Amino acid sequence: MKLVKNPCLRLMALRLRHAASSSTAVYCDGGVGTRSDVKHLLTEKPSHNASLRHPNYQLRSLLGSASPGRLSAALSILRGMLSPDSASPPNAATRSIVFTSLTTRSQPLDEESLALLVEIAKMGFFPHDAILFTQFIDKLCRGGATSGAWDFFHAVKDAGGSIEAPVCNALLTGVATIRDFGRMNLLFSEMKSLGVRPSIVTFGILINRLCKSRFLDDALNVLDAMSSPDSGVSPDTVIFNTLIDGLCKAGRLQDGLSLLDRMKSSHACDPDCVTYSSLINAFCKAAELDMAHELLTRMEKERVAVNVVTLNTFVTGMCRHGMIGNALDFFQKKKVEWPEVKGNAVTYITLISAFLHSNNVGKATTLFDEMIKEGVSPDSTTYFTLISGLTKVGKLDDAYSNVLFMRKNGFRVDIKSYNTLISGFCKKKRLDKAFEIHNEMCEAGLTPDIWTYNTLISGFCKKKRLDKAFEIHDEMCKTGLRPDIFTYNSLIDGFCKAGDFSKANKFLNKMVDDGCKPDVVTYRTLVNGFCKAGDPDQAMKIFRSMDVSVVPANTVIYNILIDSYCKNQKVDAAIDLFDEMQKQDILPDAMTYTSIFKGLKDHNMSDKALEFMDKMSSQGCKPNYVTMDVLMDWLTTIGEIERLRLFVQRTTSSDMNSGNPDV
């Protein structure tokens, strides 16, 4: 590494100069002197070191502290040591103390300290040791101070510091991490101008970041540059693996295959398990399992060692595409052919989950037993998969038995497993069992979360067991959890359906007081509740308050009101709402029109009905079967069969929407 002239310390040499003015200058790590001064400096070394002993000790002490103020104080001392008239100019030991301390410091450097370090570097004070310089730049980049690292690096370069490939690679990694492609290109160009030959690590950093950013053609161009005779380096398996993996993730499978051929034919670079696994995984995901098997055959022919990742890639790929039996056959076959490769928890979880999703509980439990027999220890994830799968297919008691087995055998049952069971029992309306599991969960030392309580509250509200729901709400609040929008909406819905609007209103007020803003579901619940209770006028007041709360209405809320008005013989008010929703750019659906048709039929307003039929067709709104039943029953009775036929022609039965017929 070359020695660096430090012009800012020239005055130190002038103070020490005792030789003739014609003497030749020499450069030392601490500053500038004359040849005749060298002997004097050596004889004065004990006193010079003595003068540095105290400031170096101060620097070591201050930089060893985590306090930001101490860092600023240390840098101020350092800047004072660098002043031209300093009695204690820094030496090699000072450099080591400062940059070793800053590199090993756990706290990141603030912007002010970084700016000061850049200023000091411009004065010629920076690590002269290539390893320490690299470690310092790496430290800055990892701490999120990549711009500061960039400025410090260039301050050192401009001050004449030695720049080598490792420090460039450290900075390149930093700017690549933040995807600053402009600085990546600039740094790569600067390396060439400085005569720093890029290493395989340099090319690897570029290719890796370009692949992750999906700039795959640029990454391939870097490979071409790397492959040229004057690059001085040759791509290795890791480089090719990075490119092949990037191409596969982007769906460019044929380009990935081409690189597989190129790495061996043009570079004598042997593919490994990672190479083939990337390609096999990509072809499995693309449902091209024949090509995946062909690659596996090639892999075995070339004696590339397979591992459990290869096995799991095939098992997962076949299960993903519904070939569960094939996946199991493949697993059983390869257990014999690959005795050194054992299925692991992932293998079994994948198969067990697939069989559970296909409702084959027997096969899933058989595989679980085989897993235990083969010595593959199930973990919490395995049990959660089994419990979740059994719950989804309605085997709640079997799922619960597995929880009991886990607890009995010392496995930790996590909150996800308990919540899955509670949700399953609530959906099956087995609320007492769900609450019993909640109690067991508390006894096991687990604290229910907001999801647990919301599931129970919703379940008890739907069954109109409002006292129990309110009790669970109080328990939740006592644990320190705040009710959220789902909690309040469940309770408001429960009290509305029970006709207890005073309590529904009480929770609405509490919701607002707690800073929980009502949403469209809250308003829909209240509007629907009053409509069901035969009070559309009160429902309309709630509806109009949505404008004040700046909560946009939707088709569902308009449908509830329109249907209520029609049922209460207020078809004109329903039509006004229909016109209003269109002005608000809220499109009516089949349920909207069906309610209107029912109201018009009750008032024998056939001309208006025909007008709405034309409007429905022009808007491209498809009637459902309830709509057609209403119109056919009415229009055939009043002799409007031809108009009905034309309407049916525009919306044929094959185009009908099979939406919810309940209005």
Side-chain angles (χ1 to χ4, degrees):
M1 180 176 293
K2 64 183 180 180
L3 295 173
V4 182
K5 184 186 296 185
N6 190 340
C8 296
L9 301 181
R10 191 181 303 277
L11 288 177
M12 185 193 94
L14 294 175
R15 288 169 52 242
L16 298 172
R17 183 173 297 164
H18 296 288
S21 60
S22 58
S23 302
T24 305
V26 293
Y27 299 96
C28 305
D29 189 56
V32 182
T34 64
R35 292 193 184 280
S36 59
D37 286 335
V38 173
K39 184 177 179 181
H40 179 70
L41 284 171
L42 290 174
T43 58
E44 288 295 312
K45 189 172 182 181
S47 61
H48 177 60
N49 284 345
S51 67
L52 274 172
R53 197 170 293 133
H54 180 63
N56 280 354
Y57 173 80
Q58 280 187 303
L59 286 173
R60 184 181 284 107
S61 176
L62 290 169
L63 291 171
S65 169
S67 171
R70 298 240 175 156
L71 174 61
S72 298
L75 294 178
S76 296
I77 290 173
L78 181 60
R79 188 157 56 174
M81 293 172 71
L82 286 163
S83 64
D85 57 347
S86 170
S88 306
N91 62 2
T94 316
R95 296 179 197 276
S96 178
I97 290 167
V98 170
F99 289 104
T100 300
S101 298
L102 292 176
T103 301
T104 57
R105 183 183 174 86
S106 58
Q107 296 79 15
L109 298 176
D110 56 51
E111 290 185 12
E112 183 181 347
S113 299
L114 272 172
L116 188 54
L117 278 170
V118 171
E119 179 187 331
I120 290 171
K122 290 176 182 177
M123 297 167 66
F125 186 83
F126 47 78
H128 283 187
D129 178 73
I131 295 174
L132 187 56
F133 188 15
T134 303
Q135 289 173 342
F136 183 62
I137 292 294
D138 182 66
K139 163 78 174 182
L140 292 176
C141 291
R142 287 178 183 274
T146 304
S147 292
W150 179 271
D151 293 341
F152 186 83
F153 172 91
H154 284 86
V156 173
K157 177 178 76 72
D158 295 341
S162 178
I163 304 297
E164 297 182 8
V167 71
C168 293
N169 290 341
L171 183 57
L172 188 63
T173 300
V175 293
T177 301
I178 61 173
R179 300 187 180 189
D180 190 339
F181 295 104
R183 284 183 173 178
M184 284 172 66
N185 291 329
L186 178 59
L187 182 57
F188 193 69
S189 299
E190 286 178 331
M191 287 178 71
K192 291 181 181 178
S193 65
L194 290 168
V196 179
R197 184 180 287 275
S199 65
I200 193 168
V201 175
T202 315
F203 286 109
I205 295 165
L206 289 169
I207 288 172
N208 182 55
R209 179 45 57 188
L210 290 168
C211 285
K212 285 184 176 177
S213 302
R214 295 296 179 92
F215 296 140
L216 295 164
D217 291 324
D218 292 326
L220 290 170
N221 289 337
V222 174
L223 175 67
D224 291 338
M226 191 179 183
S227 303
S228 64
D230 58 347
S231 74
V233 291
S234 184
D236 61 6
T237 302
V238 174
I239 295 287
F240 277 106
N241 286 351
T242 303
L243 281 161
I244 288 171
D245 183 61
L247 291 166
C248 287
K249 285 177 178 174
R252 294 171 59 173
L253 307 189
Q254 294 305 317
D255 289 337
L257 282 176
S258 297
L259 268 190
L260 174 65
D261 295 331
R262 175 179 169 182
M263 69 186 290
K264 195 158 189 177
S265 61
S266 302
H267 297 276
C269 191
D270 291 327
D272 61 11
C273 186
V274 175
T275 322
Y276 280 107
S277 291
S278 295
L279 286 162
I280 288 169
N281 184 48
F283 279 105
C284 282
K285 284 183 177 178
E288 295 187 38
L289 294 168
D290 290 340
M291 188 65 219
H293 279 287
E294 188 178 316
L295 284 164
L296 179 61
T297 302
R298 178 172 169 180
M299 186 178 181
E300 291 176 316
K301 186 178 178 181
E302 293 176 4
R303 298 185 182 280
V304 176
V306 293
N307 57 23
V308 73
V309 175
T310 318
L311 173 68
N312 288 343
T313 299
F314 272 98
V315 169
T316 303
M318 286 185 271
C319 287
R320 183 184 288 120
H321 297 290
M323 302 168 64
I324 306 171
N326 297 62
L328 182 58
D329 291 341
F330 179 85
F331 176 45
Q332 301 292 359
K333 180 183 177 183
K334 293 305 176 184
K335 278 203 297 185
V336 177
E337 294 181 6
W338 301 342
E340 72 282 2
V341 178
K342 303 290 184 183
N344 61 8
V346 175
T347 322
Y348 283 101
I349 288 172
T350 303
L351 288 165
I352 289 168
S353 180
F355 279 110
L356 285 171
H357 280 296
S358 65
N359 212 18
N360 192 339
V361 178
K363 198 64 183 176
T365 52
T366 300
L367 279 165
F368 183 77
D369 292 340
E370 180 186 315
M371 179 181 180
I372 304 293
K373 185 179 177 182
E374 290 289 330
V376 179
S377 298
D379 54 12
S380 295
T381 304
T382 314
Y383 277 109
F384 174 72
T385 302
L386 188 61
I387 292 164
S388 178
L390 289 168
T391 302
K392 284 179 181 177
V393 299
K395 300 288 185 179
L396 294 169
D397 293 317
D398 291 339
Y400 180 59
S401 295
N402 274 282
V403 168
L404 295 178
F405 178 84
M406 288 176 71
R407 290 181 61 183
K408 183 179 178 182
N409 289 276
F411 284 96
R412 180 183 176 274
V413 185
D414 60 16
I415 195 168
K416 286 197 306 179
S417 298
Y418 280 113
N419 281 346
T420 299
L421 271 177
I422 289 170
S423 176
F425 280 108
C426 283
K427 285 177 182 176
K428 290 292 183 180
K429 298 181 173 54
R430 295 174 62 181
L431 300 173
D432 292 325
K433 187 65 179 179
F435 191 71
E436 179 189 325
I437 293 168
H438 152 269
N439 290 337
E440 289 180 15
M441 178 181 180
C442 296
E443 289 169 7
L446 289 172
T447 304
D449 58 14
I450 188 73
W451 198 94
T452 318
Y453 286 114
N454 280 345
T455 304
L456 289 165
I457 289 170
S458 175
F460 280 104
C461 282
K462 285 175 181 176
K463 287 292 287 181
K464 297 185 180 180
R465 294 175 61 179
L466 299 176
D467 289 343
K468 191 66 177 178
F470 192 70
E471 177 190 319
I472 295 167
H473 164 269
D474 286 349
E475 180 189 321
M476 178 179 74
C477 294
K478 286 177 183 176
T479 64
L481 289 173
R482 290 170 60 90
D484 63 9
I485 188 74
F486 188 90
T487 320
Y488 284 115
N489 284 345
S490 295
L491 288 163
I492 290 169
D493 183 58
F495 285 114
C496 281
K497 285 177 178 175
D500 192 343
F501 291 102
S502 63
K503 282 190 178 176
N505 191 56
K506 173 187 171 184
F507 272 101
L508 177 64
N509 293 332
K510 187 175 185 298
M511 178 182 188
V512 174
D513 292 341
D514 285 350
C516 192
K517 185 180 178 183
D519 63 2
V520 69
V521 176
T522 317
Y523 285 105
R524 184 191 70 199
T525 300
L526 289 164
V527 167
N528 187 56
F530 281 109
C531 285
K532 294 282 186 184
D535 191 354
D537 294 333
Q538 185 61 34
M540 181 57 73
K541 287 181 183 178
I542 297 290
F543 175 67
R544 292 305 177 202
S545 71
M546 291 178 71
D547 292 335
V548 179
S549 301
V550 200
V551 177
N554 59 20
T555 304
V556 175
I557 293 181
Y558 273 106
N559 284 351
I560 293 167
L561 286 164
I562 287 170
D563 181 60
S564 180
Y565 275 127
C566 287
K567 285 178 177 176
N568 284 276
Q569 307 302 312
K570 296 180 179 180
V571 69
D572 290 335
I575 291 172
D576 289 341
L577 278 175
F578 179 91
D579 294 336
E580 178 186 311
M581 71 186 293
Q582 302 226 64
K583 289 177 183 176
Q584 299 290 334
D585 291 326
I586 299 172
L587 290 176
D589 60 13
M591 293 179 69
T592 323
Y593 280 104
T594 302
S595 296
I596 294 287
F597 288 138
K598 284 180 178 180
L600 294 172
K601 179 185 177 185
D602 291 341
H603 287 74
N604 201 24
M605 299 170 66
S606 57
D607 290 340
K608 198 69 176 175
L610 296 173
E611 181 184 321
F612 269 90
M613 286 166 64
D614 291 338
K615 192 173 292 187
M616 187 175 186
S617 299
S618 65
Q619 288 182 339
C621 180
K622 305 296 181 184
N624 60 28
Y625 290 107
V626 178
T627 318
M628 293 308 300
D629 283 344
V630 172
L631 291 175
M632 289 180 72
D633 181 57
W634 181 24
L635 297 181
T636 53
T637 303
I638 63 174
E640 290 288 355
I641 298 174
E642 182 60 22
R643 291 296 297 270
L644 181 62
R645 186 184 64 79
L646 290 172
F647 180 74
V648 172
Q649 276 185 345
R650 295 178 194 171
T651 55
T652 60
S653 59
S654 61
D655 292 329
M656 278 186 211
N657 189 335
S658 59
N660 185 356
D662 298 326
V663 182

